[in-house]
Amino acid sequence: MAGIGFRLDRIAREEGLGGIAHATFQGAVISSGPWLITACAIFLLQGWTRSVMQPADHVIVQTSLVYAFGISTVVTAPLAMIATRMASDRFYLGERDAIPSILMVAMVLAVIAALIAGNILFGLAAAMRPDQFLLATAILTLFAQIWIASPFLHATSRHGPIFLAYVSGIAMAALSLAIVRPTTPSVVLATIAAGLVVTLTLLITAIREDFPGSPGWRLDWIGRTPGVVALGVAGLANALAIWIDKWLLWWAPGSIQAVGALRVNPINDQASFLGLLTMIPGLTLILVTTETRFDRAFTELMVQCTGTANWRRIEKARRKVGSTIRLDLRLLVVQQAILAGFCWVLAPEIVRLLDLNARGIFGFRLTAVGAVFHLVVIQMSIILSYYDLSGRIVAVWGSFLVASAIGTWLLRDMGFAGFGFGYLAGAVTGASLAVALVAQATGNLTYLLFVGNNPAVVGNARFWP
């Protein structure tokens, strides 16, 4: 992603105010475009189903989508992390013919995981009718494949096809719903599934244009990817950290039994989802500015280490890496804190304009504040990945997950007044640990590069150097 940032940074510097606006808009589209349009589509769909369907049918559709969306991100997170890293390694080495095979294996494994999850959720727990069960499971499976396929287009910086695929799928589903105006859950779910098929087909088509090689069933690349288990665990902990508080609140006061044994908490679900959208400016800043500047500083350090520089020049480059981290961290926190402050003050008006339940104000406010620290965790995790310290990334997201779960569980009986607190507690814990680990690693970076984390010295079996 740093390569994308370099281009956007050049646009911002060379084209004046128009270039800044262009780079900011393009950065937002690349970092959060699919997420943003998906969020808008879900909000619109929720209002539409509530207006044209019976309450019980509306609940079936919304519950199916919430579970399919959430569970698919979790079951595919480790696969996506591992597959993306493996594909990036092969792409860097010029082995483009290996990428279709990596994609195929990842998507097959994602289908298996999604089918198992769908049978447990929609078959056993929800006890849905056969047609609804099949459609809900199909939606979960399609979501899982989309989460696997999308990152592969980032490898060639082809972000337009990703955005086009999402827009086309949503537009097709929206047009079909507007024309047919179905009132039964099965038809609505079938329409949504058809839209997801369009999105997935366009993504796969674009990938095949870039990587036309014939796929084959090969798993030997896993052994050639250092830290593959840690990568998978980090991806899983990342996804669980985001969802754990929502899941626990599905069993807290204010939640409802939606379909069979499946439960939801409509007030917190809407508020937390809206609060997470406030991360978009921060994600754009990371893409356009902070990661790009860090990449330049770290590259300079590596040039000094691999050249003929003496110890003084290496240490000067290392100190520049540290100062860049501090500057970018301060910039990110200040920008996002200002946005969180606006959201805190304007929360009642935002909730009113979006026609949400007023009791969600608490959850929205605390989630917006937690997003500040969540972005710090993301930025520090990027730095730790540059340092190739996968064990520390696992520790950061694991602490986020545990603290969020404990905070949510302790305050679950407070009702809507406690919504968002667990997420905030997890984000603060994860950010604190991440900053401490990055500071320690940066201060010791010269030793890590030459000895402590050097594969030629300690091999690829390292986990926590």
Side-chain angles (χ1 to χ4, degrees):
M1 297 297 282
I4 304 163
F6 284 131
R7 289 194 293 275
L8 297 181
D9 181 62
R10 185 175 63 254
I11 292 172
R13 286 187 289 104
E14 296 179 356
E15 299 183 15
L17 292 177
I20 294 174
H22 179 206
T24 301
F25 174 77
Q26 192 171 348
V29 169
I30 293 172
S31 64
S32 311
W35 181 24
L36 182 59
I37 62 175
T38 302
C40 293
I42 289 175
F43 274 116
L44 293 173
L45 178 64
Q46 182 179 17
W48 184 84
T49 55
R50 186 185 292 115
S51 64
V52 303
M53 301 179 71
Q54 296 295 324
D57 294 336
H58 163 76
V59 169
I60 291 174
V61 172
Q62 291 302 316
T63 302
S64 300
L65 290 178
V66 167
Y67 274 82
F69 188 90
I71 299 301
S72 65
T73 59
V74 173
V75 299
T76 58
L79 289 173
M81 286 285 287
I82 294 171
T84 303
R85 172 59 185 271
M86 292 169 60
S88 298
D89 289 351
R90 303 283 78 74
F91 187 76
Y92 176 77
L93 295 172
E95 301 175 9
R96 297 174 64 95
D97 291 341
I99 292 179
S101 298
I102 296 173
L103 175 62
M104 185 189 74
V105 171
M107 294 189 72
V108 169
L109 295 177
V111 168
I112 294 172
L115 290 177
I116 294 173
N119 276 274
I120 294 173
L121 290 172
F122 304 124
L124 298 178
M128 287 181 166
R129 285 171 26 190
D131 56 337
Q132 295 174 0
F133 158 71
L134 291 174
L135 289 168
T137 303
I139 290 174
L140 193 157
T141 304
L142 289 166
F143 269 135
Q145 292 184 303
I146 288 171
W147 306 148
I148 294 292
S150 295
F152 278 75
L153 285 175
H154 285 294
T156 54
S157 301
R158 293 190 62 198
H159 310 288
I162 300 177
F163 193 72
L164 176 63
Y166 277 78
V167 170
S168 299
I170 291 173
M172 194 284 290
L175 184 62
S176 300
L177 291 174
I179 295 174
V180 180
R181 296 187 64 82
T183 57
T184 60
S186 296
V187 178
V188 174
L189 292 174
T191 304
I192 296 170
L196 292 173
V197 169
V198 171
T199 298
L200 180 61
T201 301
L202 291 176
L203 288 174
I204 297 298
T205 301
I207 293 172
R208 295 296 292 160
E209 290 176 359
D210 287 334
F211 307 105
S214 300
W217 185 262
R218 294 181 60 185
L219 299 175
D220 56 313
W221 292 293
I222 295 178
R224 298 163 61 187
T225 304
V228 65
V229 175
L231 281 173
V233 174
L236 181 61
N238 183 347
L240 287 173
I242 297 173
W243 281 98
I244 188 64
D245 64 306
K246 288 81 173 168
W247 292 350
L248 290 175
L249 289 175
W250 287 348
W251 300 89
S255 63
I256 61 173
Q257 186 171 347
V259 182
L262 301 184
R263 304 180 65 87
V264 294
N265 193 322
I267 298 173
N268 179 70
D269 291 345
Q270 294 176 354
S272 61
F273 194 62
L274 183 62
L276 288 174
L277 290 178
T278 63
M279 294 175 62
I280 291 175
L283 292 172
T284 303
L285 179 67
I286 291 174
L287 174 63
V288 176
T289 303
T290 61
E291 185 181 357
T292 303
R293 290 203 297 217
F294 174 80
D295 185 87
R296 286 197 181 102
F298 187 73
T299 299
E300 176 61 25
L301 173 62
M302 295 302 295
V303 169
Q304 300 294 338
C305 290
T306 56
T308 59
N310 57 28
W311 179 81
R312 291 182 182 275
R313 291 170 59 188
I314 292 174
E315 279 298 292
K316 181 180 178 180
R318 184 195 62 79
R319 288 193 295 271
K320 183 178 179 181
V321 170
S323 63
T324 301
I325 293 172
R326 290 192 296 272
L327 175 63
D328 289 344
L329 179 60
R330 182 173 59 196
L331 177 62
L332 176 66
V333 170
V334 169
Q335 172 191 286
Q336 199 64 27
I338 292 173
L339 178 59
F342 274 107
C343 290
W344 187 283
V345 174
L346 299 176
E349 284 301 308
I350 294 173
V351 168
R352 183 184 64 82
L353 288 173
L354 296 176
D355 194 26
L356 303 179
N357 193 307
R359 289 175 291 177
I361 291 175
F362 293 88
F364 172 61
R365 282 174 166 170
L366 291 177
T367 302
V369 174
V372 179
F373 300 94
H374 191 161
L375 285 165
V376 172
V377 177
I378 293 174
Q379 181 160 317
M380 295 300 104
S381 296
I382 291 172
I383 294 171
L384 290 172
S385 68
Y386 270 83
Y387 295 169
D388 199 18
L389 299 175
S390 54
R392 303 190 189 199
I393 299 175
V394 173
V396 167
W397 288 106
S399 68
F400 192 145
L401 168 63
V402 172
S404 180
I406 293 175
T408 303
W409 182 259
L410 291 177
L411 297 179
R412 69 189 186 282
D413 293 330
M414 287 183 60
F416 63 86
F419 290 170
F421 182 83
Y423 169 75
L424 175 59
V428 170
T429 302
S432 301
L433 180 60
V435 170
L437 292 176
V438 167
Q440 190 276 336
T442 303
N444 206 30
L445 190 54
T446 304
Y447 168 77
L448 289 174
L449 290 174
F450 281 100
V451 181
N453 201 33
N454 187 342
V457 177
V458 298
N460 286 324
R462 62 199 187 283
F463 180 75
W464 189 291

